[in-house]
Amino acid sequence: MKILNFGSLNIDYVYSVEHFVQKGETLSSDMLNVYSGGKGLNQSIALSRAGLPVYHAGMIGEDGTFLENMLKDAGVNTQFLYKSSEVRTGNAIIQNDKNGDNCILLYGGANQAITKDMIDQVLANFEAGDWLVLQNEICEIPYIVEQAHHKGMKIMLNPSPMNDRIYELCLDYIDVFILNEVEAQGLVGTTDDVQKLQSKLKEKFPNAEIVLTLGEKGSMYLGEESVQQEIYSVETVDTTAAGDTFTGYYLAGRLQEMSVKETLNMAAAASAIAVSKRGAAPSIPTKDEVIQFIENH
């Protein structure tokens, strides 16, 4: 079994601010840091640091070589990473406020230059039973899902950022969903009632494994039996890669044959560590760090 993450790679420009800039406002930043990021890159690093071998497919520009090095340093296989001389690497402008919250402006760049021919070349190296991990920061997602399903691959989707492109997918092909409340509401219709949301998700995707992340309320596995996981309380410094860390550790735990309860606990601990550090990819912990954190709490 092989794991392929077909996902985004970004250069993150992180501005530390007192509050998020408002319409018509000019705001000075206390600090600027440049990090590696992109939901795809983050999740590949989380998977690798959680102990799973993972291939990353995607595209960067010539300005993104350090992102490739970051993946390699984390143990990710980059043989399916393409480099373009015609388009810049995707980037994100991130405001990080004094409470540790963030808002993000994305420029797709090379993430939006992926072609069907490239997809065919990558997927030719995978087969039935292999896993595909997807987010929503690259183009041609519907084609990737269709081709992977026809090959018999298992598909995990984190539909972030949630937008109209998600509705172009055949969602019945998805085996595992990792969703926050906004994404879940977008898939099944708006409801502020978490119990109704859970019920609608299970009704619409009866054959899929669903994990719902609920912010300060923790997370929940929706299966034959629901499993609730509380968050670990830590001082929040930067929330940028918390969701990606959770996603990578969740899939890693399930493929390492941990129970749902053990897996959710590992994922919650890993994301708690991530929010206590600055940066996206640099904040993602190793499995040993997570185990030690759990023992200490």
Side-chain angles (χ1 to χ4, degrees):
M1 179 191 70
K2 292 188 285 190
I3 302 166
L4 170 67
N5 183 358
F6 215 132
S8 58
L9 304 98
N10 285 332
I11 302 172
D12 288 350
Y13 300 94
V14 183
Y15 295 85
S16 298
V17 294
E18 178 74 13
H19 60 267
F20 299 149
V21 67
Q22 304 296 307
K23 179 180 179 180
E25 180 182 20
T26 299
L27 186 66
S28 294
S29 172
D30 298 327
M31 186 184 304
L32 168 63
N33 288 296
V34 180
Y35 298 113
S36 55
K39 297 191 72 63
L41 178 143
N42 294 338
Q43 290 181 20
S44 282
I45 289 177
L47 282 160
S48 183
R49 290 182 178 166
L52 283 186
V54 57
Y55 296 84
H56 189 98
M59 184 178 288
I60 55 176
E62 293 182 341
D63 56 337
T65 300
F66 81 99
L67 301 179
E68 179 179 11
N69 294 335
M70 170 70 80
L71 286 170
K72 288 180 177 178
D73 289 345
V76 178
N77 189 310
T78 60
Q79 73 179 89
F80 304 119
L81 182 61
Y82 289 66
K83 185 178 292 186
S84 172
S85 60
E86 299 177 354
V87 63
R88 289 184 57 186
T89 302
N91 67 63
I93 303 300
I94 302 173
Q95 296 179 62
N96 186 218
D97 73 8
K98 63 180 181 180
N99 298 315
D101 291 324
N102 63 66
C103 63
I104 302 173
L105 176 64
L106 289 175
Y107 165 69
N111 295 314
Q112 302 302 316
I114 292 167
T115 65
K116 290 179 179 178
D117 182 58
M118 173 185 166
I119 294 164
D120 291 339
Q121 291 176 34
V122 172
L123 293 183
N125 296 276
F126 296 86
E127 59 188 14
D130 290 340
W131 276 85
L132 172 67
V133 180
L134 292 171
Q135 311 81 36
N136 191 31
E137 289 184 343
I138 63 172
C139 60
E140 299 291 356
I141 292 288
Y143 184 76
I144 297 172
V145 167
E146 180 182 349
Q147 296 305 307
H149 175 75
H150 290 331
K151 292 179 73 72
M153 296 179 73
K154 298 286 187 179
I155 306 173
M156 184 179 83
L157 175 67
N158 171 218
S160 179
M162 186 68 191
N163 57 39
D164 289 344
R165 293 198 308 180
I166 292 297
Y167 306 121
E168 299 173 14
L169 307 182
C170 182
L171 295 172
D172 290 338
Y173 291 167
I174 307 303
D175 297 280
V176 179
F177 289 95
I178 307 289
L179 309 168
N180 63 26
E181 287 184 82
V182 172
E183 293 153 5
Q185 290 168 1
L187 291 181
V188 300
T190 301
T191 174
D192 293 329
D193 187 306
V194 174
Q195 288 188 332
K196 288 182 180 179
L197 189 60
Q198 295 170 31
S199 179
K200 284 189 174 184
L201 285 168
K202 289 194 284 187
E203 180 181 340
K204 186 166 185 176
F205 307 111
N207 299 316
E209 185 170 326
I210 302 168
V211 176
L212 187 59
T213 59
L214 302 166
E216 293 183 355
K217 298 177 183 177
S219 58
M220 179 170 286
Y221 170 86
L222 307 180
E224 293 183 4
E225 293 185 8
S226 295
V227 179
Q228 181 80 38
Q229 173 66 45
E230 295 182 356
I231 65 168
Y232 283 88
S233 182
V234 296
E235 182 180 353
T236 299
V237 174
D238 183 356
T239 61
T240 307
D244 298 327
T245 301
F246 183 99
T247 297
Y249 266 84
Y250 179 80
L251 181 59
R254 297 299 283 147
L255 295 186
Q256 291 165 342
E257 300 185 347
M258 293 183 187
S259 69
V260 171
K261 187 172 182 61
E262 289 175 316
T263 300
L264 287 177
N265 189 45
M266 286 284 287
S271 59
I273 295 171
V275 302
S276 68
K277 301 178 183 179
R278 293 197 179 277
S283 73
I284 300 170
T286 64
K287 189 173 183 179
D288 286 344
E289 288 179 86
V290 177
I291 292 171
Q292 186 63 54
F293 178 89
I294 293 172
E295 290 177 354
N296 292 338
H297 288 74

